[in-house]
Amino acid sequence: KPSDEPTPTPDEPVNDPTSLVINENIVSVKGAGEECSFTYTMEGGSIENLVVKSENEWIHDFDLSTEGVVRFIVDANPLTTTRLSKITISCGKLKDDIVVSQSGVSPDEFKVKFDVDYEIDGPFVTMHVTPDPEQTRYYAWYYSKRGMETALEQSPGVTIEMYLKRVVEVDISNAIYYGAYAGYTAEQAVAELTFVGPASQKFELNAETDFYGFVCAVSDSGTILSDVTITEFRTGSVEPSDNEIGIVINDVNTDRISYSVTTTNQDQYATLIFPAENIEGLSDEELVAKFNATEDYVNYLRFGDSSATILVDKEDTDYYVVAFGFEYGMATTEIHKEKVHTLKSEGRPLSDVNITLDKVTHYR
């Protein structure tokens, strides 16, 4: 007998994305409100199935017409404090969210002066900042001059002021973003990074090195309110060490060098191996600079007698075992170098090998 039940149709194929990620951590918005956007990356799925929602009504009019971009409107903030909201984007079972941080109403014009001075004792620096008006909130830190020169070479058209202002913006944005997920308000996160009134910070830096100290006023919510005040300072030298360092070569092979370093006290020193072609002709200052530029150079610092076996890349090649007292980026003793030459592999005749099977069973 034919059934009166309708014949079921096959389910439509599900076109869920395999990945959906928002590319930014936070959207920072001015207190007056504005049109904003963030970008996302989706693999698979369809843009028609994207859903975007906000926790609050002051974020609205989402525009998804451009693939990979979400545009929206943020209303003016009527409050003097920062307000936060999350925006969630979803497609199928996948979703991600982003924090929107909108600053409160701020003065149209904010004028401030900073008196900055330093106490320097070798590599130890105390930075004193006094703002005017005195109760100004501000961000203060330092940046190496050499690092800045490298950064600007890679960013044509960017000035020191622009770069340092961006450093402040990124640091504060990250603090607000991670603080939001930990339950902090924007004001609480900003307070962790900034100062109010006269304050001092202490740093331990590389000796005999040039730095920029920089300060700028910020609101309680982290909005930058002033130009960046930039000052320069140079750290002092470190005391020389009376450590008497010796190098003893224990063994040299085709691919490794074993050596020991002897010392007369527990002062810190650096020890490592360089290919001879990389350091011959370098002055002591250039050699120390090369060591400072070595990735994870702290792994090569020692106290007291030590021994090591180091793998090297080339046989039949000159290398230098180097050791010198080292503190805060400077050599504190003379530089000791011991030249060695790795061995060359020698061809050897193949040996005859015989294998005898004594017993064979069905399972072994």
Side-chain angles (χ1 to χ4, degrees):
K1 179 180 178 180
S3 172
D4 294 333
E5 298 283 334
T7 303
T9 58
D11 293 338
E12 292 293 327
V14 177
N15 187 24
D16 285 351
T18 58
S19 174
L20 176 61
V21 178
I22 295 176
N23 298 327
E24 293 88 31
N25 291 336
I26 190 168
V27 177
S28 298
V29 187
K30 297 177 181 178
E34 57 187 318
E35 181 180 86
C36 305
S37 66
F38 63 85
T39 62
Y40 66 89
T41 302
M42 182 171 67
E43 297 181 4
S46 172
I47 189 173
E48 286 78 13
N49 296 329
L50 278 175
V51 177
V52 181
K53 295 181 179 179
S54 168
E55 292 179 327
N56 295 282
E57 295 180 352
W58 46 272
I59 301 175
H60 53 86
D61 288 351
F62 293 104
D63 180 358
L64 307 177
S65 59
T66 302
E67 186 172 354
V69 180
V70 176
R71 293 185 174 86
F72 54 95
I73 300 296
V74 178
D75 292 337
N77 187 353
L79 306 175
T80 57
T81 57
T82 291
R83 57 182 180 178
L84 300 174
S85 181
K86 288 183 183 178
I87 296 177
T88 301
I89 183 172
S90 62
C91 186
K93 297 180 180 179
L94 298 182
K95 66 179 182 178
D96 199 4
D97 49 40
I98 187 170
V99 173
V100 175
S101 172
Q102 185 181 25
S103 60
V105 178
S106 59
D108 294 333
E109 185 176 356
F110 184 83
K111 295 181 179 180
V112 63
K113 294 181 180 180
F114 293 102
D115 180 21
V116 183
D117 62 83
Y118 304 91
E119 292 181 41
I120 298 175
D121 181 12
F124 305 101
V125 177
T126 303
M127 180 183 187
H128 302 286
V129 180
T130 303
D132 180 18
E134 187 171 287
Q135 291 306 309
T136 300
R137 179 175 295 280
Y138 58 92
Y139 179 106
W141 201 243
Y142 67 89
Y143 206 98
S144 79
K145 200 168 184 179
R146 180 179 296 176
M148 178 62 68
E149 291 170 355
T150 301
L152 296 184
E153 287 175 359
Q154 299 171 354
S155 307
V158 176
T159 65
I160 295 175
E161 292 80 2
M162 293 166 60
Y163 191 90
L164 291 178
K165 184 171 284 190
R166 183 58 181 162
V167 169
V168 178
E169 290 173 344
V170 170
D171 201 10
I172 290 178
S173 292
N174 286 339
I176 293 173
Y177 171 75
Y178 291 111
Y181 284 94
Y184 292 112
T185 64
E187 287 76 11
Q188 289 172 325
V190 171
E192 295 290 326
L193 295 178
T194 57
F195 304 88
V196 177
S200 301
Q201 294 187 80
K202 294 184 177 181
F203 310 120
E204 292 185 28
L205 307 174
N206 276 356
E208 294 189 3
T209 304
D210 294 313
F211 290 90
Y212 292 112
F214 61 100
V215 187
C216 65
V218 298
S219 69
D220 290 348
S221 59
T223 302
I224 296 177
L225 300 177
S226 72
D227 294 333
V228 181
T229 297
I230 302 173
T231 54
E232 298 183 29
F233 65 92
R234 180 176 177 82
T235 51
S237 61
V238 294
E239 292 294 326
S241 168
D242 59 1
N243 196 5
E244 297 180 9
I245 297 174
I247 299 174
V248 178
I249 305 300
N250 299 323
D251 184 51
V252 180
N253 211 311
T254 57
D255 63 347
R256 66 197 64 200
I257 299 170
S258 296
Y259 69 97
S260 300
V261 176
T262 61
T263 61
T264 56
N265 62 35
Q266 292 295 310
D267 289 353
Q268 181 174 261
Y269 64 93
T271 175
L272 71 166
I273 293 177
F274 288 110
E277 62 182 1
N278 290 357
I279 65 170
E280 284 182 336
L282 295 183
S283 66
D284 288 352
E285 291 76 14
E286 290 171 330
L287 181 55
V288 174
K290 188 175 184 66
F291 174 74
N292 277 318
T294 302
E295 185 176 358
D296 299 330
Y297 73 88
V298 293
N299 293 332
Y300 303 99
L301 300 179
R302 301 287 185 271
F303 300 92
D305 295 350
S306 65
S307 296
T309 297
I310 306 298
L311 294 176
V312 294
D313 296 329
K314 297 179 181 179
E315 61 179 45
D316 193 22
T317 302
D318 287 332
Y319 286 87
Y320 279 105
V321 178
V322 179
F324 55 93
F326 181 87
E327 289 285 353
Y328 296 103
M330 285 190 62
T332 57
T333 68
E334 65 176 307
I335 295 178
H336 302 269
K337 293 185 286 188
E338 193 71 31
K339 193 173 186 178
V340 296
H341 191 89
T342 52
L343 302 183
K344 182 178 181 180
S345 300
E346 297 180 359
R348 297 180 179 179
L350 296 177
S351 300
D352 291 330
V353 178
N354 296 312
I355 300 176
T356 301
L357 301 180
D358 293 322
K359 184 176 181 180
V360 179
T361 73
H362 64 286
Y363 63 90
R364 67 182 175 187

